[in-house]
Amino acid sequence: MDSSSLRERQKERRRARIYSVALDLFKRGGFQATTATDIARASNVSRGTFFNYYPYKEAVLLDYGSEVMDRLRDKAEARLKEGVPPLTVLYEIWDELAEENGRERDLFPPLAYEVLNPNPERARTAYQALPLSKVIELILKPLHQAGQIRGDLSLQRISNLIADTYLMVALRWSAYGTDRTLQEETRLALNLLLEGALRREGPPRTS
């Protein structure tokens, strides 16, 4: 192995260690209470080294979110290949994401705020790291090809709207909470998106 390959592997191992330590500290002590100095010290690196790998603390969460998205995409692809109906897959992925975010409730708000960051470069980085809309688009594509999805909006826009709805519902739940679990809240939102808010059966009601 040449020296450049060895250095790259060492860098990868160091980044993995910093990521693992940071995530553990976030879960045990809370994201807001954990500083870059805390992470560097627990990882046995300097504060400057931490920032060489993660330019800001929230960037660690983007790696975490990216891992979640990769797992959901892999599951969606596998379930579709098994012949599971797309809407069933969508609900499975939706529930799994809500379960993950509900379990790691303290991590979701700072992760979601990165997507809404006023700094356009950071917001773009977060959007690319958390491609929920791309996973949804993958799931809905067979329905779109079969003409079972409305045609006045592009599949991409529909997927973006569904992903945005998840983001806002989960963010509100994480910040304020309700009597329902996050899975229940996000299911209600997804049902509303897919079925609409207006009653469709029977004649119009008159007063």
Side-chain angles (χ1 to χ4, degrees), residues 2-88:
D2 59 39
S3 58
S4 61
S5 297
L6 179 60
R7 283 195 299 271
E8 287 302 313
R9 292 190 58 155
Q10 289 173 337
K11 287 174 65 176
E12 288 173 6
R13 286 197 294 268
R14 188 177 296 119
R15 182 185 179 93
R17 183 172 72 250
I18 292 171
Y19 168 73
S20 177
V21 167
L23 212 58
D24 183 59
L25 290 176
F26 293 158
K27 291 179 180 181
R28 289 194 288 114
F31 177 81
Q32 300 299 339
T34 302
T35 67
T37 300
D38 294 332
I39 298 168
R41 185 180 297 117
S43 303
N44 296 316
V45 299
S46 69
R47 195 167 184 271
T49 297
F50 169 80
F51 286 118
N52 284 338
Y53 289 92
Y54 293 103
Y56 42 92
K57 189 174 67 168
E58 289 81 2
V60 178
L61 292 181
L62 297 185
D63 274 4
Y64 159 70
S66 182
E67 284 187 355
V68 174
M69 289 296 108
D70 286 346
R71 186 176 73 240
L72 294 180
R73 183 181 185 88
D74 289 345
K75 178 175 180 177
E77 289 179 337
R79 295 291 282 160
L80 289 172
K81 286 180 180 178
E82 292 169 3
V84 178
L87 286 183
T88 299

Side-chain angles (χ1 to χ4, degrees), residues 87-142:
L87 286 183
T88 299
V89 177
L90 179 59
Y91 274 101
E92 289 177 355
I93 296 303
W94 198 259
D95 285 346
E96 187 168 327
L97 181 58
E99 182 180 359
E100 174 76 26
N101 293 151
R103 186 169 58 249
E104 305 299 346
R105 184 170 183 166
D106 186 55
L107 300 184
F108 185 76
L111 186 59
Y113 287 139
E114 275 303 292
V115 180
L116 307 173
N117 198 297
N119 181 321
E121 186 59 37
R122 283 181 58 163
R124 189 179 307 111
T125 299
Y127 180 79
Q128 292 171 347
L130 308 170
L132 177 58
S133 64
K134 298 297 184 184
V135 178
I136 294 171
E137 188 174 342
L138 167 75
I139 296 170
L140 295 181
K141 188 175 181 180

